[in-house]
Amino acid sequence: MEALRLILRYIHLIGFALLLGGAIVQYVSAKLRINWAMLWGSGIQVLTGFALAAPLRGGGDDEPAPAKLAVKLVIALMIFAMVFFSRKREEVNRGHFIGILVLTLGNAAVAVFW
């Protein structure tokens, strides 16, 4: 079970890298749009986040707080919605794009500091 959890965590980190890396690449280029890395990264984050949280419902000292999981889920779903519904636009508003970046970094901050 521990090996599965570690594999899921690794895939979760790959999703984060795709999402953040894809967003930074688009931000550095002058055209703000949703690329495939952002779309796949946000989807991977949501799916592996569910998978990582599900087996932890057995109790124990190292179980994350339900409030933390709920906050991370809401933020991840917001990111996914922002990416998914604007993926076909030729260009995304600057505020919308920066919102994706801020939420992505905020979700990572919740994971690390909470």
Side-chain angles (χ1 to χ4, degrees):
M1 196 65 165
E2 181 66 18
L4 175 62
R5 191 180 63 77
L6 291 174
I7 291 168
L8 285 171
R9 185 185 295 173
Y10 180 70
I11 295 170
H12 194 69
L13 288 173
I14 289 172
F16 174 75
L18 283 170
L19 178 59
L20 186 62
I24 289 173
V25 165
Q26 288 303 130
Y27 188 78
V28 170
S29 73
K31 194 169 190 175
L32 299 178
R33 62 184 312 255
I34 305 301
N35 58 25
W36 67 268
M38 293 173 67
L39 181 62
W40 278 92
S42 63
I44 288 170
Q45 286 273 277
V46 170
L47 292 176
T48 57
F50 270 126
L52 282 167
L56 298 176
R57 301 290 81 198
D61 292 337
D62 58 342
E63 180 179 333
K68 175 183 177 178
L69 294 176
V71 167
K72 285 190 57 59
L73 175 64
V74 168
I75 294 172
L77 289 175
M78 287 171 47
I79 294 168
F80 182 74
M82 291 173 76
V83 168
F84 185 78
F85 291 115
S86 56
R87 72 189 185 281
K88 293 186 180 179
R89 292 185 187 164
E90 219 26 65
E91 201 159 340
V92 180
N93 293 337
R94 185 174 181 80
H96 182 89
F97 198 83
I98 290 175
I100 293 170
L101 276 169
V102 168
L103 286 172
T104 300
L105 292 173
N107 209 6
V110 169
V112 171
F113 297 115
W114 186 344

